[in-house]
Amino acid sequence: MVVKRADADQPHIIIIYEKCDGVGGVWRDNTYPGCGSDVGAHWYSLSSELNPDWTSYYATQPEIRAYWQSIWERHDLASRTAFDTEVVAAEWDDTAQVYHVTLEDVKSSTRRTEDANVFWWAAGGFHAPFYPEDVPGVKEFRGEVWHSARWRHDVDLRGKRVGVIGNGCSGAQFVPKISEDPSVRVTNFVRSPQWLVPRNQFKYWSTTKWIFRHVPFVMRAYRAMIFAISEFYYFVGFSGENTVAQRKGMDEMSNYIRSTAPPEYVDQLIPKYPPGCKRVIIDPQYLESLGRPNVSLNWTAINGVVEEGLELKTGEVVPLDVIIFATGFSLLPARMKIIGREGKSLLEFFDSVGGPSAYLGLSVPTFPNFYMCLGPNTAGGHASVIFNEEVQIDHALQLIKPVVRRTARSFEVRTDVFTRYNEWIQRRLSRSVWSHCQSYYRMRSADGRNVAIFPGPVTLFWWLARKVKFEDYKAVGAERFEKRRRGKRVRTVTGTLLALLLVAAGLSRLGWELPSLVRYALRLGLKST
């Protein structure tokens, strides 16, 4: 998304550039069987756009995409959206205080350049499928191969030998679905076990939906309850190491795996790392599906893809007709090149600081008026990312408004603020459950830096980001804005002093002496003005 500042004869312009032909993002692209959210739908939604009509506690992909489509239509965002338009580059012009944004028409491959005062990268964390580098030879395979995020609905799996690489959230959702047909023989190739908990899915009655729609505050209170429960899970499960609650949770999840999975797989399916180190899977009958005669697990490391199927490290070749990668996503843009004030690209900046990092997952030094939605260290392993995104948006809007109102030209987070914040993030992460295993939360490098998780409850993230501290940012052309801020502070202090004086005068008329604490507060207030 880009924002063009208001001119004297026209209002500011907001344009959303979307490389695909429809809205929905990850929920548009991921259409594999069984796809859905593992966060309660009433919590996995905008606080400003509550939906009384969710069908069930955990919503499916078609319903979630329809929700975002309805919001897009309700707010007439069609007039502000350019589909089939990919942003391939954006370069900051420090003299003009704008980004020169290079756009490419996806259909014709023609390019053009637009200028923007504000550039907002809202691609999210799951926009590019990840293929493991240590599984070479994909082009050699004679059958069909695809990633779960690019599902081939045109391929009939009946009677096929299907190899599924990966057992994370995506794999756990579609393996039970495709194996419902006994003619589909599924071999799930896995590297490490995952913690799973019962899904406890249920549908909402029509009466419940009616109450949500018509009785004030009930739906919001229900959402708040889900929020509170998720925060409770953070404190008992993720906030420390080797706690009593963690050990209890491991025992309960281990018992669930033992009681649900086939006995021959149990010992391998129970992880050694603490719950939460990788995202806990809300079990969509994955464990139960492993007991089907047409489903098997293979724990042998893969050497590569060959013409007939997958070659294992042992030299054995497993013959397959279809290979499906359920190996997650790359968290970095594969193509887009963003250049900041010092001529360095965003990826180069990340390399210079040891990996993707940002202040509040939102801003980086030397990139003025540039913001990220769900940037580095923003996600929570226990809650809805939608909440954190809303917090980020509110924070960024406080910085964007002076720019579009022409009282400031740009804001850029200070390097010392950025560094101090990220050192704090990594210290907390080093003492958390997320340091005990390799996962997509962490970089695939020697130090395995965690670039995805915010190490705290979402209430802490809200507290840190709720209000902009303008002293944390370098401002350009903000003299009018600062003058207004100073004036507002003076008016606030003056109003407070007048209120205190009126109260003091009233107390004096009653014969009460003005307390020394109030007199001290008055002196401080007068000094601050």
Side-chain angles (χ1 to χ4, degrees), residues 495-509:
T496 302
L497 290 173
L498 286 174
L500 288 172
L501 288 171
L502 288 173
V503 171
L507 293 174
S508 298
R509 288 179 65 85

Side-chain angles (χ1 to χ4, degrees), residues 20-318:
C20 296
D21 59 359
V23 299
V26 67
W27 297 109
R28 174 201 59 226
D29 298 338
N30 285 262
T31 60
Y32 59 81
C35 181
S37 174
D38 58 3
V39 176
H42 281 273
W43 178 217
Y44 191 78
S45 52
L46 293 174
S47 61
S48 58
E49 301 286 342
L50 301 189
N51 175 26
D53 296 318
W54 291 115
T55 301
S56 54
Y57 184 81
Y58 295 111
T60 61
Q61 175 269 335
E63 194 171 14
I64 297 172
R65 185 186 179 183
Y67 167 79
W68 292 109
Q69 179 79 29
S70 68
I71 293 173
W72 183 77
E73 293 172 352
R74 187 180 309 124
H75 293 280
D76 189 29
L77 294 181
S79 61
R80 299 180 182 273
T81 306
F83 287 120
D84 296 313
T85 306
E86 183 177 4
V87 178
V88 295
E91 184 170 358
W92 177 253
D93 184 331
D94 206 41
T95 302
Q97 292 282 292
V98 297
Y99 279 98
H100 302 305
V101 183
T102 303
L103 307 168
E104 182 176 296
D105 186 291
V106 173
K107 294 181 178 178
S108 66
S109 297
T110 57
R111 291 190 175 187
R112 71 181 193 276
T113 301
E114 298 280 356
D115 289 345
N117 300 95
V118 177
F119 182 73
W120 198 318
W121 174 28
F126 301 119
H127 52 88
F130 171 75
Y131 292 89
E133 296 177 356
D134 57 352
V135 184
V138 172
K139 293 182 180 179
E140 305 299 322
F141 184 52
R142 290 186 300 196
E144 302 288 353
V145 59
W146 66 80
H147 192 281
S148 62
R150 303 292 183 265
W151 196 267
R152 290 282 304 277
H153 293 279
D154 60 319
V155 178
D156 189 352
L157 296 180
R158 287 179 295 183
K160 299 285 199 310
R161 298 165 298 180
V162 180
V164 177
I165 302 176
N167 63 334
C169 293
S170 299
Q173 287 185 337
F174 73 75
V175 164
K177 291 295 182 181
I178 66 174
S179 63
E180 287 177 351
D181 184 339
S183 73
V184 180
R185 287 167 287 172
V186 179
T187 304
N188 191 188
F189 296 89
V190 297
R191 295 183 177 182
S192 59
Q194 309 278 351
W195 285 112
L196 297 96
V197 295
R199 195 162 185 234
N200 296 327
Q201 171 73 305
F202 61 86
K203 292 185 177 297
Y204 292 109
W205 296 342
S206 57
T207 304
T208 304
K209 297 178 186 177
W210 186 93
I211 292 173
F212 283 156
R213 180 176 294 279
H214 296 287
V215 180
F217 307 116
V218 171
M219 180 165 54
R220 194 164 292 278
Y222 177 69
R223 172 189 167 93
M225 180 190 71
I226 301 174
F227 160 77
I229 292 172
S230 72
E231 291 291 83
F232 171 77
Y233 284 149
Y234 171 81
F235 286 109
V236 300
F238 300 151
S239 60
E241 296 184 87
N242 196 31
T243 64
V244 173
Q246 283 177 1
R247 292 194 296 272
K248 179 67 174 175
M250 290 178 72
D251 289 341
E252 291 184 359
M253 283 185 253
S254 297
N255 290 335
Y256 172 69
I257 293 172
R258 290 190 185 96
S259 65
T260 311
E264 64 268 26
Y265 294 140
V266 165
D267 289 341
Q268 292 172 299
L269 284 171
I270 297 178
K272 306 301 181 185
Y273 57 82
C277 185
K278 296 183 179 184
R279 190 168 183 91
V280 175
I281 297 175
I282 311 298
D283 185 14
Q285 296 183 305
Y286 172 74
L287 293 177
E288 183 180 329
S289 73
L290 297 180
R292 293 170 181 166
N294 59 321
V295 179
S296 62
L297 284 179
N298 193 312
W299 296 87
T300 307
I302 297 172
N303 192 48
V305 182
V306 294
E307 289 185 1
E308 298 83 7
L310 287 174
E311 181 182 3
L312 306 181
K313 293 292 185 182
T314 58
E316 176 191 359
V317 173
V318 180

Side-chain angles (χ1 to χ4, degrees), residues 53 85 128 132 184 193 204 216 240 253 259 265 277 308 341 346 357 360 374 387 393 426-427 435 481-482 502:
D53 296 318
T85 306
V184 180
Y204 292 109
M253 283 185 253
S259 65
Y265 294 140
C277 185
E308 298 83 7
R341 178 171 51 80
L346 183 63
S357 309
L360 300 173
L374 197 61
F387 178 86
I393 291 168
Q426 295 302 321
R427 280 198 306 272
S435 63
F481 175 70
E482 288 299 331
L502 288 173

Side-chain angles (χ1 to χ4, degrees), residues 372-391:
M372 293 180 283
C373 207
L374 197 61
N377 298 112
T378 306
H382 67 291
S384 168
V385 297
I386 305 298
F387 178 86
N388 283 14
E389 289 176 324
E390 285 191 278
V391 171

